[in-house]
Amino acid sequence: NESGLEEVNEFIGENQPSIEKDLYGIAEGKNVIFVAAESLQDFVINETLNGEEITPFLNELVEESYYFDQFYHQTAQGKSSDSEFLINNSLYPLARGGVFFSHATNEYYALPEILNENGYYTASMHGNNGSFWNRNVMYNQFGYDDFYTKDDYEITEENSVGWGLKDIDFMEQSVEHMLDMPQPFEVKLITLTNHFPFDLDEEDMYIDRFDSNSNTLNKYFPTVRYMDESIKVLFERLKEEGLYEDSIIVIYGDHDGISSNHNRAMGQFLGEDVTPFVETQLQQVPFIIHIPGMEGEKISKVSGQIDVRPTILHLLGIEVENQTIFGDNIFSEDYEEFTILRNGNFITDEIVYVNEVCYSKETGEPTDDEKCEPYLDRVHEELEYSDKIIYGDLLRFDGRNHNNEDTDESDNESETPD
Ligand code: GP9
């Protein structure tokens, strides 16, 4: 009921996104191009395998972008779809199941809808079925103007691998579509090639596989390298078509690609045992904001996907009053380094709490429980309030949500990727 929303908003209280004047509105009116980097974890950035860079393009890019190197994914079983939920709503996904399936007809007040209200055309783009993760249903509630799916791309046997259209071809064809879009636009490019089981054609292998007892980890590096190349192609094509200068490009890793089943092999790559502490650090994914003409900077604040929306809206100079959200603008001086993972683990600038053990970040060793205790109630409450919004469909009382009836629903069979 309505009082449920009031209670949540009371809890959120002053936790409205804070303003840091320097960067406010710096990207006003620009196109926003999100790249959802499938399974991209942060440990590959600035790393080599057999002396070769794994992500040469991203390594260059982070030098001339805002690069958040302590940024965590906060997804659960809904994987890629959970990351979309977080980024568009600044709410937590559910602990079990996928909110894209269980609560796809709820009312939301999502980022595309806010951007629509501010004169943007919005679209999500994916070289696979529109029904994966029930996106074609959920997107109606997010307010996307259009959803480009495999029917909008030229897909052949030659330009496909694994799960569908190869990322380089996807980038090239997506830029073609962008040329027909009204500006400013917000698009989300959902990449695919770096998806388990990380299959790749020989001709696309820019680096060799790793050599360990995990075939999955071994194959991960060449597909990451391929995705890196596809992002380079995206930048080149945007420049060639004159779209680059008027766009900001926002790249985020959607979730981990290498699960704890591969800890031994991962330990071999990292040169250290994958303890629960290290495993939590491995949940870091890259978050890169590239604004043409700006130098950017490395920002080592602990942060997460829940912060993406307020951070981007801040750069665009779009203020939204009384938002029911749990993230904050990472650029702000008041930003609190306190990131909650969906399983209840959490990270601050000093500690990492994993499976009820409190670790010192400095040593990676267990430390006094007292250091973690002050946060425990907040973790519990924040996740619970976010769940209440979803279970109670509380945003229907917000009054600002308008369903978008135009999104393509022709492909209505829902599928999970697993
Ligand atoms: C499916 C793709 C992959 O369309 O986005 O989803 P994932 O398995 O990574 O959640």
Side-chain angles (χ1 to χ4, degrees):
N1 61 23
E2 196 154 1
S3 65
L5 183 62
E6 276 164 25
E7 193 192 328
V8 178
N9 284 335
E10 225 162 84
F11 171 76
I12 290 172
E14 289 153 21
N15 186 24
Q16 290 292 319
S18 25
I19 301 233
E20 195 261 334
K21 297 273 182 294
D22 286 357
L23 294 173
Y24 183 75
I26 203 91
E28 193 181 335
K30 296 233 186 243
N31 303 317
V32 183
I33 301 172
F34 280 103
V35 178
E38 174 62 45
S39 302
L40 184 64
Q41 293 178 234
D42 195 65
F43 75 92
V44 295
I45 303 291
N46 288 323
E47 266 296 340
T48 56
L49 177 64
N50 304 320
E52 299 206 67
E53 287 180 286
I54 302 162
T55 56
F57 181 71
L58 291 180
N59 295 350
E60 266 176 40
L61 191 71
V62 298
E63 295 299 324
E64 47 186 60
S65 305
Y66 292 100
Y67 168 45
F68 302 83
D69 72 340
Q70 301 285 317
F71 179 88
Y72 292 80
H73 84 81
Q74 293 164 298
T75 67
Q77 291 170 340
K79 308 268 285 186
S80 298
S81 65
D82 279 354
S83 76
E84 292 189 52
F85 188 77
L86 277 147
I87 275 148
N88 282 310
N89 298 293
S90 192
L91 300 173
Y92 294 92
L94 296 175
R96 268 173 291 280
V99 60
F100 262 52
F101 281 110
S102 59
H103 295 82
T105 54
N106 272 16
E107 297 285 346
Y108 297 100
Y109 187 47
L111 183 63
E113 189 162 348
I114 294 169
L115 292 176
N116 282 155
E117 288 171 2
N118 284 274
Y120 276 76
Y121 165 84
T122 58
S124 179
M125 312 182 83
H126 188 36
N128 206 312
N129 295 339
S131 52
F132 261 120
W133 284 125
N134 211 24
R135 285 184 175 105
N136 53 351
V137 179
M138 185 58 124
Y139 281 178
N140 286 332
Q141 307 307 98
F142 285 4
Y144 279 116
D145 288 312
D146 279 306
F147 182 21
Y148 292 76
T149 65
K150 68 168 200 247
D151 301 335
D152 303 291
Y153 289 86
E154 216 181 293
I155 305 179
T156 62
E157 212 170 292
E158 287 73 53
N159 70 14
S160 304
V161 69
W163 282 56
L165 185 60
K166 293 181 187 183
D167 286 345
I168 290 181
D169 298 81
F170 171 65
M171 293 301 186
E172 284 172 343
Q173 294 188 37
S174 295
V175 173
E176 293 294 322
H177 284 309
M178 286 179 215
L179 290 170
D180 294 332
M181 293 176 185
Q183 295 190 41
F185 57 70
E186 181 242 34
V187 293
K188 174 134 57 62
L189 302 167
I190 304 172
T191 61
L192 203 54
T193 309
N194 189 42
H195 192 290
F196 177 83
F198 310 116
D199 287 337
L200 201 62
D201 292 330
E202 258 336 289
E203 77 222 31
D204 299 322
M205 298 253 288
Y206 298 96
I207 56 171
D208 286 338
R209 296 190 174 124
F210 185 51
D211 182 16
S212 74
N213 71 347
S214 162
N215 204 23
T216 300
L217 183 63
N218 296 349
K219 290 168 73 185
Y220 180 69
F221 296 100
T223 52
V224 168
R225 174 65 185 82
Y226 174 82
M227 178 164 56
D228 180 80
E229 195 70 20
S230 79
I231 298 172
K232 182 179 167 190
V233 168
L234 169 68
F235 275 70
E236 283 169 358
R237 292 292 296 124
L238 289 172
K239 283 179 183 168
E240 281 161 15
E241 297 296 350
L243 287 169
Y244 170 79
E245 290 293 337
D246 291 327
S247 305
I248 67 167
I249 298 124
V250 184
I251 301 166
Y252 68 92
D254 62 355
H255 52 73
D256 59 321
I258 304 298
S259 74
S260 55
N261 295 336
H262 308 276
N263 275 357
R264 221 175 92 200
M266 183 64 97
Q268 185 188 327
F269 177 78
L270 297 175
E272 64 175 332
D273 283 349
V274 181
T275 61
F277 172 82
V278 172
E279 199 176 312
T280 305
Q281 298 304 84
L282 283 169
Q283 304 316 305
Q284 289 174 7
V285 294
F287 178 39
I288 302 164
I289 304 175
H290 182 75
I291 308 177
M294 290 200 63
E295 270 182 20
E297 138 188 29
K298 182 156 92 177
I299 298 176
S300 299
K301 292 185 192 175
V302 175
S303 48
Q305 289 167 333
I306 207 144
D307 302 313
V308 170
R309 163 173 150 175
T311 303
I312 298 298
L313 284 176
H314 175 79
L315 293 174
L316 297 178
I318 297 175
E319 264 180 88
V320 188
E321 299 204 330
N322 305 320
Q323 299 179 72
T324 306
I325 63 171
F326 291 92
D328 198 2
N329 164 25
I330 313 174
F331 289 114
S332 165
E333 274 176 24
D334 300 332
Y335 179 84
E336 186 188 12
E337 295 187 55
F338 172 41
T339 296
I340 303 171
L341 306 186
R342 183 55 255 200
N343 58 12
N345 293 341
F346 65 88
I347 303 100
T348 74
D349 48 344
E350 289 181 350
I351 46 162
V352 177
Y353 182 80
V354 191
N355 306 337
E356 300 181 13
V357 180
C358 190
Y359 292 86
S360 149
K361 221 171 179 182
E362 205 182 333
T363 64
E365 298 294 327
T367 183
D368 298 346
D369 285 345
E370 280 155 33
K371 293 207 170 125
C372 287
E373 262 158 30
Y375 294 96
L376 294 178
D377 282 350
R378 282 176 65 195
V379 170
H380 183 73
E381 279 176 335
E382 201 163 312
L383 292 171
E384 196 169 84
Y385 277 120
S386 181
D387 286 350
K388 265 190 189 172
I389 293 168
I390 299 170
Y391 289 132
D393 191 6
L394 295 185
L395 290 175
R396 79 197 131 114
F397 301 114
D398 182 285
R400 287 181 290 194
N401 320 297
H402 315 281
N403 294 351
N404 188 327
E405 305 297 345
D406 296 339
T407 306
D408 181 16
E409 274 190 274
S410 53
D411 191 8
N412 244 340
E413 295 286 298
S414 305
E415 298 167 58
T416 61
D418 295 321

